[in-house]
Amino acid sequence: MNDKLDFYFETAKSAKIGIWEINLESSQVYWNAITRDIHEVPHYFIPSLEKGFSFYLEGKNRMRIKRLTEKTISDGIPFNDKFQIITAKGNLKHIENIGQIVYKNEKPYKLIGTLQDITKE
């Protein structure tokens, strides 16, 4: 199992795909180095759900990511959508964000996903 997980993380890093996770029991948020790079935050930045939402362009983008996150948690429906964010350095980026729920004992336990900078596309 660890070999497959290590392979996944190395592949994601090579493809410049950010990985994120929200533990729904503890509200703890994890961002890998690529996710931090996309948001242009330092390696010691401690993400939270609200801090993460605050990067999304105010208005439709922010409302849409909040709605999709809530829907995924409540109904288990994964999402795959494109958004605009403003990085910590004030740069506008276009991202693709994919999220899905992970269940533990038939209850939503984690929300996990990937993030990719698609600005050049």
Side-chain angles (χ1 to χ4, degrees):
M1 173 78 169
N2 280 343
D3 289 340
K4 288 181 183 179
L5 193 56
D6 290 343
F7 174 74
Y8 174 75
F9 282 121
E10 286 304 311
T11 303
K13 192 163 100 177
S14 297
K16 297 190 187 299
I17 296 172
I19 297 170
W20 56 266
E21 175 182 296
I22 303 164
N23 183 313
L24 300 174
E25 292 177 346
S26 68
S27 297
Q28 187 173 11
V29 176
Y30 166 78
W31 287 3
N32 75 341
I34 303 298
T35 300
R36 292 172 196 277
D37 289 347
I38 291 170
H39 287 85
E40 297 181 332
V41 296
H43 70 280
Y44 55 82
F45 176 81
I46 299 172
S48 69
L49 191 56
E50 283 308 312
K51 284 180 189 175
F53 287 149
S54 72
F55 287 98
Y56 287 79
L57 206 58
E58 199 168 353
K60 291 179 184 178
N61 280 269
R62 193 174 300 170
M63 288 176 11
R64 195 167 77 247
I65 189 60
K66 285 182 176 184
R67 184 174 32 86
L68 288 170
T69 300
E70 290 168 3
K71 187 92 171 147
T72 300
I73 293 168
S74 66
D75 299 340
I77 299 169
F79 66 85
N80 180 347
D81 209 342
K82 295 176 180 162
F83 303 90
Q84 291 178 307
I85 63 168
I86 300 291
T87 70
K89 294 182 178 179
N91 295 313
L92 176 68
K93 289 188 177 183
H94 296 262
I95 61 164
E96 181 174 19
N97 194 346
I98 300 170
Q100 68 181 31
I101 203 78
V102 174
Y103 292 92
K104 181 178 177 181
N105 299 326
E106 299 181 27
K107 292 183 180 180
Y109 170 63
K110 290 182 183 178
L111 185 58
I112 61 170
T114 60
L115 190 75
Q116 193 163 22
D117 183 351
I118 58 169
T119 304
K120 292 179 182 176
E121 294 173 22

